């Protein structure tokens, strides 16, 4: 039986896609796999969805059935050994929803993030005070739970520097509606500090910030915020949409392409990065 995998990881998603592809090449249905190998088709479904981390013995059984070469087997086994979530996230597992933990995991492994926000400053660019105000105002939570949620958001920002992992920093391209800049979250002092943080972060080479001003009229981003994550050759891209009804992860190619086109449209109608910086700077003046 597979062991619980916790939040899916990029490597686990890639392994799932590889196993599904190998089964397709072998021209076998899940029912046929169960008949010929004894691997339960329900278990196989969870493995191929990235919802379960397969036991090495199960993998070897599947490799034998799919006639996978030894070199390829070694590569896939190494992949499963690396399929684990960031260590720091474990200390917050009791205060953050599973879907949010899943997103954080993906974000920590992504190479590129396209983030559109209509109401809030992107989480990766928030100050601690702004984050605290958004968490405290969103749901009635105990003070210690609020603080741990804020700590989680601050820890996420390590992806922009990745000093601990020794990897290239996450490339962030953020498009923000003007409403998010003008809405006073926390207090005027909190908002002013947040806008100054935006200016500071936009100077980093791996961060691009654009603003869509009110005078650009209606646009497709008005339906809500989203994040599109790219992992290079390591795993397929995905889109994350957060809502009160539940968080959604989109992985179908058509869905990824649709959100990619929407983001391209949003950054095309937005102010240039330089003009966006000028607008934000103007909002910080008395």
């Amino acid at each position: 039986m597979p062991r619980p995998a916790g939040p899916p990881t990029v490597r686990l998603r890639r392994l799932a896609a590889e196993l599904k592809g190998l089964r397709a090449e072998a021209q076998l249905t899940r029912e046929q796999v169960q008949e010929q190998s004894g691997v339960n088709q329900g278990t196989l479904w969870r493995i191929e969805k990235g919802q379960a981390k397969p036991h090495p013995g199960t993998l070897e059984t599947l490799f034998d059935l799919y006639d996978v070469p030894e070199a390829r087997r070694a590569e896939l086994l190494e992949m499963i050994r690396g399929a684990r979530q960031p260590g720091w996230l474990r200390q917050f597992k009791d205060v953050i929803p599973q879907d949010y933990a899943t997103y954080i995991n993906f974000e920590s492994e992504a190479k590129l993030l396209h983030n559109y926000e209509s109401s809030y400053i992107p989480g990766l660019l928030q100050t601690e005070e702004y984050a605290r105000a958004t968490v405290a105002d969103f749901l009635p939570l105990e003070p210690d739970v609020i603080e741990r949620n804020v700590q989680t958001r601050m820890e996420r920002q390590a992806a922009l520097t990745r000093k601990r992992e020794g990897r290239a920093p996450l490339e962030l391209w953020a498009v923000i509606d003007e409403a998010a800049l003008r809405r006073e979250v926390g207090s005027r002092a909190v908002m002013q500090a947040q806008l100054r943080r935006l200016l500071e972060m936009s100077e980093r080479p791996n961060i691009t910030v654009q603003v869509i001003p009110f005078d650009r009229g209606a646009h497709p981003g008005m339906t809500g915020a989203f994040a599109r994550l790219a992992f290079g050759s390591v795993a397929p891209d995905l889109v994350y949409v957060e809502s009160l009804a539940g968080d959604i992860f989109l992985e179908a190619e058509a869905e990824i392409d649709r959100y990619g086109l929407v983001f391209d449209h949003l950054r095309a109608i937005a102010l240039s990065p330089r003009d966006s910086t000028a607008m934000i700077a103007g909002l910080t003046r008395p």
Side-chain angles (χ1 to χ4, degrees):
M1 290 293 292
R3 292 172 292 181
T9 66
V10 170
R11 291 192 180 194
L12 199 58
R13 285 179 66 233
R14 182 182 174 189
L15 178 68
E18 294 282 356
L19 290 174
K20 187 175 181 180
L22 288 170
R23 179 171 62 80
E25 290 177 11
Q27 299 183 333
L28 294 170
T29 65
R30 293 194 185 98
E31 291 82 357
Q32 290 171 327
V33 169
Q34 178 173 313
E35 291 172 359
Q36 297 181 35
S37 70
V39 176
N40 181 272
Q41 60 178 299
T43 297
L44 183 59
W45 182 88
R46 290 191 295 275
I47 291 173
E48 291 184 350
K49 289 292 184 180
Q51 296 179 2
K53 183 176 180 179
H55 189 279
T58 301
L59 280 181
E60 290 291 356
T61 298
L62 294 175
F63 293 160
D64 289 341
L65 181 62
Y66 302 157
D67 196 23
V68 180
E70 287 299 326
R72 188 76 179 114
R73 295 184 185 209
E75 181 183 345
L76 293 174
L77 285 170
E78 177 60 29
M79 189 184 301
I80 197 64
R81 281 193 285 269
R84 55 182 178 270
Q85 67 187 75
W88 65 264
L89 192 56
R90 299 188 191 101
Q91 63 184 305
F92 302 111
K93 64 180 181 180
D94 59 327
V95 296
I96 60 175
Q98 178 75 12
D99 286 343
Y100 184 38
T102 298
Y103 172 76
I104 292 172
N105 195 18
F106 287 147
E107 185 182 74
S108 71
E109 298 189 58
K111 291 186 175 181
L112 173 66
L113 170 59
H114 286 168
N115 186 192
Y116 167 70
E117 293 290 343
S118 57
S119 301
Y120 292 101
I121 303 301
L124 288 175
L125 302 177
Q126 291 179 7
T127 64
E128 186 172 332
E129 293 77 12
Y130 182 96
R132 183 173 293 108
T134 62
V135 173
D137 291 343
F138 194 68
L139 289 173
L141 300 172
E142 293 297 322
D144 64 317
V145 176
I146 291 174
E147 289 308 307
R148 295 181 71 194
N149 271 272
V150 172
Q151 290 174 38
T152 303
R153 197 165 300 181
M154 295 301 101
E155 288 281 355
R156 282 175 53 199
Q157 297 179 2
L160 296 172
T161 56
R162 286 190 174 138
K163 295 178 180 178
R164 293 176 300 185
E165 292 91 343
R167 297 162 52 202
L170 173 68
E171 293 183 33
L172 170 63
W173 195 310
V175 176
I176 309 170
D177 194 276
E178 183 178 348
L181 303 179
R182 292 189 177 275
R183 178 170 290 105
E184 188 171 291
V185 174
S187 68
R188 177 170 174 77
V190 167
M191 201 64 208
Q192 287 292 298
Q194 176 60 74
L195 294 175
R196 289 193 292 271
R197 169 66 67 82
L198 264 184
L199 292 174
E200 293 170 5
M201 298 295 279
S202 66
E203 294 177 357
R204 298 190 179 189
N206 60 312
I207 298 175
T208 301
V209 175
Q210 287 184 267
V211 177
I212 300 179
F214 289 144
D215 62 15
R216 296 297 160 93
H219 58 77
M222 292 172 66
T223 56
F226 64 89
R228 186 176 188 269
L229 300 100
F231 307 92
S233 60
V234 176
D237 297 354
L238 64 80
V239 168
Y240 173 71
V241 181
E242 185 178 9
S243 74
L244 287 174
D247 299 346
I248 303 172
F249 292 92
L250 305 174
E251 301 181 74
E253 186 174 347
E255 296 170 330
I256 303 301
D257 290 345
R258 181 167 64 252
Y259 275 90
L261 289 173
V262 169
F263 192 82
D264 286 343
H265 179 72
L266 294 177
R267 59 183 172 182
I269 66 171
L271 297 174
S272 69
R274 177 178 296 180
D275 289 343
S276 296
T277 297
M279 179 180 183
I280 296 170
L283 294 174
T284 64
R285 300 188 186 104

